[in-house]
Amino acid sequence: MAEEKLEDETEEVENVNSNENIPLRTHQRIDQSLCGTLVQLKPGYAKVELETTREMIVDDMGLVHGGFTFAAADFAAMAAVNEPNVVLVSSNCRFLSPVKVGDKVVFEAKELFREARKRNIHVIGYFEDIKVFEGEFMAVVLERHVLKLKLVKDEEE
């Protein structure tokens, strides 16, 4: 799948041409009615569709809260990594156009590189021909679930 660079432990993720979806190994209990529906999953790639609903609006004009847009983009990013213990550590996102109730926003996430446990994922969201979202997500893959990690303070006691 990806070639290792021994000098800096960085892997560049290649575009996978397989048409076969793989099973989802992360975020398996996510509410896809709020965070988007996973429609395609390949190594290093995920596609999520967000059907916006009345529960997501913030005003009488039907504007959808950006948190739902971000949640779908984040879900796509984590699915592209597709490791059970992946967690988001940072993001740099741009909301490029408003989303309104009834819009179906499609998010495509591609894992760009891996460095040890770190992952960088690029996500673009479109409504029809309009790019409404673009972001870079940084995630880490942990050995154990983030809530099962012992903190240094706990270990000292």
Side-chain angles (χ1 to χ4, degrees):
M1 180 175 117
E3 274 187 48
E4 288 187 37
K5 291 184 181 177
L6 299 176
E7 64 273 4
D8 63 1
E9 294 185 324
T10 299
E11 296 180 43
E12 289 188 23
V13 179
E14 296 177 6
N15 187 2
V16 177
N17 294 323
S18 169
N19 290 326
E20 194 170 320
N21 281 340
I22 59 174
L24 181 65
R25 300 177 58 219
T26 189
H27 291 61
Q28 294 174 326
R29 295 192 61 182
I30 197 164
D31 186 339
Q32 293 189 26
S33 69
L34 298 174
C35 298
T37 303
L38 183 65
V39 295
Q40 192 173 22
L41 184 61
K42 298 177 184 180
Y45 173 85
K47 185 183 219 179
V48 169
E49 292 180 355
L50 177 67
E51 297 262 1
T52 58
T53 63
R54 298 184 63 65
E55 292 78 20
M56 299 175 182
I57 63 174
V58 297
D59 61 22
D60 293 338
M61 299 290 292
L63 179 67
V64 169
H65 188 280
F68 294 102
T69 303
F70 180 83
D74 175 45
F75 178 39
M78 298 304 100
V81 174
N82 202 23
E83 292 287 345
N85 297 319
V86 62
V87 292
L88 178 67
V89 293
S90 71
S91 65
N92 183 8
C93 303
R94 294 182 296 154
F95 296 83
L96 303 170
S97 184
V99 175
K100 65 184 182 323
V101 70
D103 289 352
K104 183 196 292 189
V105 183
V106 177
F107 295 88
E108 289 190 277
K110 294 180 183 173
E111 188 178 29
L112 298 180
F113 72 86
R114 303 173 191 182
E115 184 177 343
R117 296 175 190 235
K118 297 177 189 176
R119 305 292 189 269
N120 185 353
I121 310 100
H122 184 78
V123 181
I124 299 177
Y126 286 94
F127 166 66
E128 295 179 356
D129 293 353
I130 303 165
K131 187 191 299 187
V132 299
F133 178 92
E134 186 167 19
E136 298 291 327
F137 290 78
M138 283 295 289
V140 294
V141 177
L142 304 173
E143 289 180 19
R144 290 182 278 173
H145 191 282
V146 67
L147 298 179
K148 290 186 177 180
L149 295 177
K150 286 196 169 249
L151 300 176
V152 174
K153 182 179 177 183
D154 291 341
E155 292 175 358
E156 292 173 355
E157 294 177 353

